[in-house]
Amino acid sequence: MRKSFFGVGVLGLAVSAFLTPAFAVPDRPIAYITSYGGAYDVWRMNEDGSVTTELTSATPWGVLCCAPAAFSPDGSKMAYVAGITEYFIMGMNSDGGSPTTLVQIPGKNVFIGSYSPDSTRITFWANTDGDDEIFTANADGSGVSQITFNSVSDSFPDWSPDGTRIVFTSYQTGNGDIYAMYSNGVSQVRLTAGVSLESAPVWSSDGSKIAYTMGNNIWRMDANGTNQVQLTFTAAVEANPSWSPDC
């Protein structure tokens, strides 16, 4: 599964209120970010919580604690963000090894989105011009392309299972809504128009539905924006949903 979770599972979804670790593939290890060694680094554990292994070292750059790692769908690669005043998208094999710099970004608010379904490209968002914009790049860091150029924040990109579209959050109407576009950034379509911030959209594995956060709860809709259904109703903060691989 491209996305990740930490928290309570709900109706084939998982929910996180804070930072999100990442699954490689089902029945395989989980990557997460921890300061256990004194600095933020990426670690790996078995899905039952056993056998923890440090994958990165904080030198020469610390891992950005609030930017989760992302696994490629084939489970072979992992990307994460490191840096202090200048940021780097780093890549490495999912079982460890020496990380390589994929993209160097002279900005802030850098976050990994997801890998494309064929594991050949990644999405990320970064603030390089005063607001967040969405980018794509090849999995080796080449071919970086900015695909949104709005004068407002665009963030939380997630690749559709067929690789043709990307769903994301945008403030084009001032409120933070869910949009979809082709993977080259064209034909942006607004899918939601809620009264609260709508963010962190993720496709179901069959591409028919999208889960997302609105306010402090998890919602679900069809991929074209219809049939919007609220799934959680607690007073707690419930955010950053992720579909299970069989949904």
Side-chain angles (χ1 to χ4, degrees):
M1 184 64 181
R2 297 187 311 278
K3 286 284 185 177
S4 55
F5 69 78
F6 177 79
V8 180
V10 179
L11 301 177
L13 292 166
V15 179
S16 168
F18 301 104
L19 307 182
T20 47
F23 269 120
V25 291
D27 302 319
R28 297 288 291 275
I30 299 169
Y32 61 102
I33 296 172
T34 179
S35 60
Y36 174 78
Y40 287 106
D41 279 299
V42 180
W43 287 59
R44 184 186 68 188
M45 64 181 172
N46 293 338
E47 63 177 342
D48 62 1
S50 64
V51 190
T52 58
T53 305
E54 185 177 11
L55 299 181
T56 67
S57 171
T59 57
W61 315 289
V63 173
L64 191 61
C65 66
C66 57
F71 273 113
S72 60
D74 65 9
S76 66
K77 296 183 286 290
M78 182 178 69
Y80 63 95
V81 177
I84 300 175
T85 58
E86 189 171 38
Y87 296 96
F88 305 82
I89 295 179
M90 308 296 293
M92 64 189 305
N93 293 335
S94 60
D95 59 356
S98 298
T100 59
T101 301
L102 301 181
V103 183
Q104 183 174 347
I105 304 168
K108 57 183 179 179
N109 295 347
V110 181
F111 295 90
I112 297 290
S114 65
Y115 278 84
S116 60
D118 61 4
S119 301
T120 63
R121 293 182 64 76
I122 58 173
T123 61
F124 61 94
W125 76 94
N127 185 339
T128 61
D129 61 359
D131 59 83
D132 294 331
E133 300 290 358
I134 296 173
F135 298 77
T136 62
N138 293 327
D140 63 2
S142 63
V144 176
S145 177
Q146 182 175 338
I147 62 172
T148 64
F149 297 86
N150 299 307
S151 59
V152 295
S153 175
D154 299 308
S155 59
F156 290 100
D158 187 57
W159 230 299
S160 65
D162 65 5
T164 64
R165 296 174 67 78
I166 291 173
V167 67
F168 64 105
T169 298
S170 180
Y171 282 78
Q172 294 178 42
T173 62
N175 193 46
D177 294 305
I178 307 301
Y179 286 71
M181 61 184 169
Y182 287 109
S183 59
N184 62 359
V186 304
S187 299
Q188 297 182 14
V189 178
R190 185 182 180 189
L191 300 180
T192 66
V195 296
S196 300
L197 168 64
E198 296 156 321
S199 65
V202 285
W203 299 89
S204 61
S205 58
D206 65 2
S208 66
K209 299 184 185 302
I210 296 169
Y212 59 100
T213 303
M214 183 168 76
N216 291 332
N217 285 287
I218 304 301
W219 288 63
R220 183 196 67 209
M221 64 182 169
D222 292 344
N224 63 1
T226 61
N227 297 321
Q228 297 174 12
V229 178
Q230 184 175 349
L231 301 179
T232 64
F233 297 86
T234 70
V237 176
E238 297 175 319
N240 298 346
S242 174
W243 294 92
S244 66
D246 57 354
C247 290

